[in-house]
Amino acid sequence: MSNKDEFISEFLDSDTIDALKKLLESNTSYEESVDKIALAFGAKKDFSKMDNDSVNKLVVSFKNNLTLLIQKTWVEKSDIALKDQLLYKLGQLLSNNDSKWADNYNLFREIIDQAVYLMFGQSTNSPDFAEYSIRIDPEFGIFWWYISSLPQKTDWSEEKLKLAMMLGMFFLANY
């Protein structure tokens, strides 16, 4: 168990921690892992079996809630351009109905990283940020544990990328 896993075990059960490991390592049979992580984020059972209408509603809710969060975040003058860029990028994420999740994964990661940077500033670059975030807001800290565990680049299937991104979207749509 890594130091990060030891720390998170104060806030999550071992089944959920193991579910993330299985999601990251498995190319098949990851739906059960997605569902366990989703439960930790407050989702209902069978998150991985969401129909297309529900997925589309989730994407819209994610964009709307993150837009509000970004707009309401006070930033230094030097970060106003970043805030504007972030709102633009958020509008571009999965904006085309033909958009593939795999084509949007890097943009999704960039948006999340920049949004968290706007909310917390330079502390996001600290190795202690995960611990800090979970101490001030355990729900957000669990979300950050999840997001920071995702690989920067991956060759995952379209479906696995979709589910991985949907987990992050679900949390932020309801934050």
Side-chain angles (χ1 to χ4, degrees):
M1 193 180 278
S2 71
N3 286 344
K4 188 162 106 172
D5 289 343
E6 284 179 32
F7 183 75
I8 200 75
S9 68
E10 293 179 37
F11 298 89
L12 280 177
D13 61 69
S14 61
D15 285 347
T16 306
I17 295 168
D18 290 343
L20 178 61
K21 288 178 193 171
K22 288 176 189 169
L23 172 63
L24 295 173
E25 295 169 2
S26 177
N27 287 325
T28 59
S29 303
Y30 44 78
E31 292 84 358
E32 185 179 330
S33 297
V34 167
D35 290 340
K36 281 186 182 173
I37 296 166
L39 286 173
F41 288 165
K44 295 178 182 168
K45 277 185 150 186
D46 297 328
F47 180 85
S48 64
K49 294 170 182 56
M50 204 181 288
D51 64 35
N52 284 338
D53 285 342
S54 297
V55 171
N56 290 337
K57 287 177 185 174
L58 173 61
V59 171
V60 169
S61 292
F62 163 75
K63 285 182 168 185
N64 289 343
N65 205 37
L66 192 55
T67 296
L68 286 172
L69 191 61
I70 293 165
Q71 288 173 337
K72 291 182 181 251
T73 299
W74 181 87
V75 296
E76 298 286 340
K77 243 184 185 175
S78 59
D79 288 330
I80 291 174
L82 176 62
K83 190 175 181 177
D84 292 340
Q85 270 184 333
L86 185 54
L87 290 169
Y88 175 78
K89 288 176 185 177
L90 184 59
Q92 297 303 304
L93 183 72
L94 294 166
S95 61
N96 178 340
N97 287 339
D98 299 338
S99 238
K100 292 190 184 296
W101 292 82
D103 295 339
N104 283 269
Y105 180 74
N106 291 338
L107 180 59
F108 171 75
R109 288 297 316 262
E110 189 177 318
I111 288 168
I112 299 299
D113 289 346
Q114 288 178 351
V116 172
Y117 172 83
L118 285 180
M119 291 188 294
F120 292 97
Q122 291 291 336
S123 65
T124 58
N125 298 326
S126 164
D128 298 331
F129 181 68
E131 184 176 345
Y132 169 77
S133 68
I134 206 162
R135 295 276 183 219
I136 63 167
D137 183 347
E139 288 179 350
F140 183 84
I142 291 167
F143 163 75
W144 186 249
W145 163 79
Y146 170 74
I147 289 294
S148 63
S149 296
L150 294 176
Q152 289 295 323
K153 294 185 184 219
T154 182
D155 61 354
W156 290 348
S157 69
E158 180 74 8
E159 184 63 20
K160 186 173 178 178
L161 283 167
K162 174 184 171 184
L163 291 172
M165 290 168 63
M166 284 173 45
L167 281 168
M169 288 180 177
F170 177 82
F171 178 84
L172 288 174
N174 295 288
Y175 185 64

